[in-house]
Every structure is written in C-alpha cells, then in structure tokens.
Amino acid sequence: MNTPASPKAVVLLSGGLDSATALAIASERGYDCYVLSFDYGQRSLTELNAAKEIAKQLKAIEHQVIRLHLEDFGGSALTDHSIDVPEEETDEIPVTYVPARNTVFLSLALGWAEVLEADAIFIGVNAVDYSGYPDCRPEYIAAFETVANLATKRGVSGDPIRIETPLIDLSKEQIIQAGTTLGVDYGLTVSCYQADDDGRACGVCDSCRLRTQGFVDAGIKDPTRYQ
C-alpha cells in the first residue's frame, strides 16, 4: 500500500526567533516544509546566514532566498542607512516598519505555494509581543487570505490555500517555550535589527529587548551572542 504524501507548506523564514518557531511548528504538524527567505536590502544580512542554518537544522525540504530591492524605496530604518535604528520604545509605528513588507513576502510565497500545490503558508507574525507593525495583525492576515483565494487558480477552484499564523496570540515567553519543546536551536537565530557582521546582537533595539525579556520570562538561558 502506498503511503499518503505529506501535505506541503511554504514557510517564511527571516532567520529570527519567531519565524524559526513557526517552521518548527509547521514541521511538527506534519508538513513538508519549503522555506522562503528574502534578501530585501535589510540592514543586517547575517539573519540570512542564520536562516540557512535553521532550515538545515529543522530539515526543510528546500530553501530559497529571493533577492528584492526594497532599499530602492527606503522609508525604513532597516533598509535606509540614513535612518537610525531607535533604541527607545515608542507608542507609534516605529521607523523599523518596512512599508508593505509582509504583503510583498506573502504574495511571493503564494506564487510558490501554487506551483508546489501546497496547502498552507506559515508566517511567524505575532500580535502580542511585537513592535506595532500593521501587517502583523490578525485582521490583516484574514484579509490577505481572502485576497489570496480570490486571486489564485486553486482558490477559485474551491481548494483554498490557508495562511497559518501559529504565533499570532502567543507572548514571546510562550513562543520560546514552544520552540524549545520542539528542539529549535535559538542560538542559531538572529533577531537584532542591527546585528554586526558576526551575527552578534546590539542588545538595545526593540527586537533585542523583546527577545531578551522573553527568555527571562520563560526561565530559559538566553543563547544570544551580544556585541
């Protein structure tokens, strides 16, 4: 008797803590994982090196890195070196927000998912311990899923692609606990907005603060290498 093929998923992987956990969850749920990362002109490219190692550690079937040129638009501290990465909290959408980034990423993931005949796209967005980005909210994800299935062959054929957000309602503490249980090596991950060429974190940007506090709250030793 032939063994049924495992379902496929495209997983967006930045190289950071959240996306690594999302990949581990997708794998644990039985998906064959096809991993997609982006070189989009971001300030720290060491996260892409991290993504390659994480994809290997978590046994992705395939890992593609797509080159985009979002730095041509600028408008974010992550893609425009003339804008400083903030080191203090703000109540407004921070300058580290990259305009329309998740819409661009999800659109490309959707194209690959159709080609692969994948059932789902996993993205590690979070609406609890996050920086206030508008494209990390549940209502955005629901709207994109609607668009995805209006705009694709399989969507209009009655076989919709799901946008899976397993971390959307979790605190950073809960994310770290979940990933640790699933064997994620967080020492491989890079979350810092301005990591140096060796992948060492600054320890003061918003992403570093959330990550550091998450390990404290989880009671798990922080494997992050700091500058």
Side-chain angles (χ1 to χ4, degrees):
M1 179 180 293
N2 292 330
T3 302
S6 298
K8 298 175 182 176
V10 173
V11 183
L12 292 173
L13 181 67
S14 69
L17 183 152
D18 291 346
S19 62
T21 308
L23 172 56
I25 290 172
S27 180
E28 191 269 338
R29 290 182 182 178
Y31 287 95
D32 283 343
C33 295
Y34 293 76
V35 173
L36 187 58
S37 302
F38 296 96
D39 174 357
Y40 61 91
Q42 62 267 51
R43 185 178 290 262
S44 174
L45 285 174
T46 54
E47 65 181 13
L48 287 176
N49 297 330
K52 292 172 185 176
E53 293 305 314
I54 294 160
K56 290 177 186 176
Q57 193 238 333
L58 295 176
K59 297 180 172 56
I61 302 298
E62 185 177 345
H63 181 207
Q64 290 210 34
V65 179
I66 305 297
R67 176 67 172 117
L68 303 174
H69 291 272
L70 299 187
E71 75 274 17
D72 290 351
F73 297 155
S76 167
L78 299 193
T79 57
D80 185 340
H81 287 263
S82 70
I83 303 174
D84 292 334
V85 172
E87 296 180 355
E88 296 180 356
E89 293 185 41
T90 176
D91 292 329
E92 300 177 349
I93 295 173
V95 294
T96 51
Y97 163 67
V98 179
R101 179 175 58 180
N102 282 346
T103 302
V104 173
F105 290 0
L106 281 169
S107 296
L108 290 165
L110 179 63
W112 197 21
E114 263 212 295
V115 171
L116 292 170
E117 298 184 349
D119 295 312
I121 297 168
F122 279 74
I123 181 171
V125 293
N126 176 261
V128 181
D129 288 338
Y130 77 122
S131 298
Y133 298 158
D135 54 0
C136 289
R137 298 174 298 155
E139 52 266 49
Y140 163 73
I141 296 297
F144 187 91
E145 186 175 77
T146 297
V147 169
N149 289 304
L150 287 171
T152 54
K153 178 180 177 181
R154 80 176 269 171
V156 299
S157 300
D159 190 17
I161 295 172
R162 299 185 309 280
I163 310 298
E164 297 282 0
T165 57
L167 313 183
I168 195 83
D169 295 321
L170 302 183
S171 67
K172 194 67 74 181
E173 171 189 357
Q174 292 170 319
I175 292 168
I176 290 168
Q177 289 171 336
T180 300
T181 299
L182 294 174
V184 177
D185 181 356
Y186 286 123
L188 297 176
T189 64
V190 175
S191 301
C192 179
Y193 292 147
Q194 49 190 356
D196 67 13
D197 291 343
D198 293 323
R200 294 178 301 179
C202 72
V204 293
C205 71
D206 191 44
S207 184
C208 279
R209 289 196 301 270
L210 288 171
R211 177 184 171 114
T212 300
Q213 190 60 49
F215 279 105
V216 171
D217 293 342
I220 293 172
K221 180 177 172 56
D222 184 357
T224 308
R225 295 182 300 119
Y226 290 100
Q227 296 170 22

